[in-house]
Amino acid sequence: MTDLNAFISGLPKAELHMHIEGSLEPEMMFALAERNGVAIPFASVEEVRGAYQFSRLQDFLDIYYAGADVLRTEADFRDLAAAYFDRAAADSVVHAEIFFDPQTHTARGIGFGTVVAGLLAGMEDARARHGITARLILCFLRHLSEAEAFATLAEAEPWLDRIEAVGLDSSELGHPPEKFARVFAAAAAKGLKRVAHAGEEGPADYVWQALDVLEVDRLDHGNRSLEDPALVERLAREQMTLTVCPLSNLKLCVVPSMDDHPIDHMLAEGLRVTINSDDPAYFGGYVNANYRAAAEGRRLGAEQLATLARNSFLGSFLSEEEKRAHIARVDAYVAGFR
Ligand code: ADE
Ligand code: ZN
């Protein structure tokens, strides 16, 4: 292992952008298909992995929603979350704020409570076994209607004390943030924080809408903000956290190669960027693989990597005291590595 890879391995970090359904590894897909008697259109784990060739976001989403069909019971969601936290712990993740897509499951007749209870059990297990803290972010699927998002928010009502924030994901183009202005306002009124995917495939205008209409606390992806200097200036001035996902960007052709990834430009612009895995089972790696790919592609040094890790805590929904304690651990780690 190179020194920089070793540095990344032990660097304490938070993960702020990962979809728990996107951590469904092909091996678990087969195991759950068998456990639940669900047919899947693949003969082997290798065939599943071979199908993960995408030229745009929608190619991935089609296969991701199909894969989620094997998730049926509370135990399935618990096992899915526990498996993710095992991988996260191995990558020195000490805090994770994970997305889930309830509409993908409720549309198939799975109860909202089945999904959340399973994920919460996986989070408790992670705390007990690894000391990892975690929060849940309920994502609305933006290709569905505003009315369907409101119905999902109503289903979440009994669980709101265990849900930190709402988010917005799925097909970006043609589904601007403003479509969900009222549902985000309703979520805010219930005390929920707000995040949204914007500027992954969609234009910089969608990022402005996420800021001004949805009033997000954090922005997911945000790559295309770089096309708009006034937007970059604002994001930097407000120290808005951007959850960037390098391997996802590569797999979904948001960037042509890792050598062209803008992560170092974003840092140089003073943006509060973080590195995350998005859908690690589909995009070729968990969070440390994303740090390593970005570091290699853009020649990032230890100081930049430490900034990314500090940003992951600064951009989290932890208390100010917790953030300070985690950042002190990053500082001590960096000092010890020299
Ligand atoms: N759902 C899961 N991953 C996503 C991504 N990268 N963009 C939009 N929706 C998603
Ligand atoms: Zn995402």
Side-chain angles (χ1 to χ4, degrees):
M1 190 158 24
T2 65
D3 280 357
L4 209 59
N5 281 348
F7 179 77
I8 290 167
S9 289
L11 182 63
K13 55 185 75 69
E15 179 150 56
L16 306 180
H17 182 157
M18 73 83 53
H19 304 260
I20 197 65
E21 295 90 348
S23 68
L24 178 64
E25 292 286 345
E27 289 79 3
M28 186 177 280
M29 195 188 289
F30 272 88
L32 295 184
E34 190 169 322
R35 183 154 104 184
N36 295 324
V38 178
I40 50 173
F42 300 105
S44 68
V45 162
E46 292 69 36
E47 200 180 304
V48 180
R49 288 220 164 80
Y52 294 172
Q53 313 278 353
F54 317 115
S55 56
R56 60 180 68 78
L57 174 59
Q58 194 61 48
D59 296 346
F60 155 70
L61 291 171
D62 292 342
I63 214 162
Y64 160 86
Y65 294 131
D69 188 38
V70 301
L71 297 162
R72 300 285 171 102
T73 68
E74 187 177 318
D76 297 343
F77 288 96
R78 179 201 61 210
D79 293 351
L80 177 70
Y84 161 69
F85 286 114
D86 287 350
R87 306 289 286 252
D91 278 0
S92 304
V93 170
V94 295
H95 176 71
E97 300 182 356
I98 66 175
F99 298 131
F100 70 111
D101 285 341
Q103 290 161 300
T104 303
H105 313 300
T106 54
R108 299 181 289 117
I110 316 285
F112 187 99
T114 300
V115 178
V116 178
L119 296 178
L120 289 169
M123 288 158 63
E124 262 170 45
D125 174 78
R127 175 112 202 189
R129 290 193 302 120
H130 303 298
I132 297 186
T133 55
R135 305 277 165 92
L136 275 181
I137 303 176
L138 183 174
C139 278
F140 300 114
L141 298 180
R142 68 202 306 158
H143 67 273
L144 300 180
S145 68
E146 181 199 43
E148 286 164 302
F150 267 113
T152 300
L153 186 60
E155 285 184 288
E157 197 72 46
W159 301 94
L160 287 186
D161 58 335
R162 280 151 290 180
I163 294 173
E164 186 73 14
V166 292
L168 188 63
D169 67 359
S170 193
S171 321
E172 188 180 7
L173 289 169
H175 302 285
E178 64 190 7
K179 176 176 167 185
F180 297 93
R182 293 187 296 191
V183 83
F184 267 60
K190 293 179 189 298
L192 294 165
K193 296 198 172 62
R194 285 144 288 163
V195 303
H197 284 52
E200 181 185 20
E201 281 190 345
D205 180 51
Y206 285 18
V207 176
W208 285 105
Q209 287 183 28
L211 299 175
D212 291 330
V213 181
L214 302 187
E215 299 186 38
V216 293
D217 298 286
R218 190 160 79 207
L219 191 83
D220 298 314
H221 295 296
N223 298 53
R224 291 193 61 193
S225 306
L226 295 174
E227 296 168 17
D228 182 340
L231 178 56
V232 171
E233 189 277 326
R234 170 160 177 200
L235 292 167
R237 180 166 33 84
E238 294 183 356
Q239 285 296 283
M240 173 59 60
T241 301
L242 267 56
T243 61
V244 175
C245 306
L247 287 172
S248 165
N249 292 160
L250 182 65
K251 277 293 237 180
L252 301 183
C253 305
V254 168
V255 295
S257 81
M258 204 52 82
D259 297 354
D260 297 299
H261 198 279
I263 189 76
D264 54 326
H265 296 297
M266 292 168 141
L267 283 166
E269 292 281 3
L271 296 171
R272 185 193 276 172
V273 284
T274 62
I275 283 191
N276 307 273
S277 68
D278 205 1
D279 300 284
Y282 292 86
F283 298 150
Y286 287 76
V287 71
N288 282 359
N290 279 271
Y291 273 77
R292 285 195 298 270
E296 218 172 279
R298 297 303 307 166
R299 303 269 168 271
L300 302 182
E303 214 28 75
Q304 285 162 303
L305 295 167
T307 297
L308 291 162
R310 285 187 199 99
N311 287 350
S312 73
F313 295 113
L314 289 170
S316 74
F317 295 136
L318 290 166
S319 69
E320 293 307 313
E321 191 184 338
E322 290 167 317
K323 290 180 192 181
R324 270 195 297 278
H326 283 300
I327 289 167
R329 275 180 216 117
V330 173
D331 293 343
Y333 178 80
V334 173
F337 212 85
R338 287 217 177 89

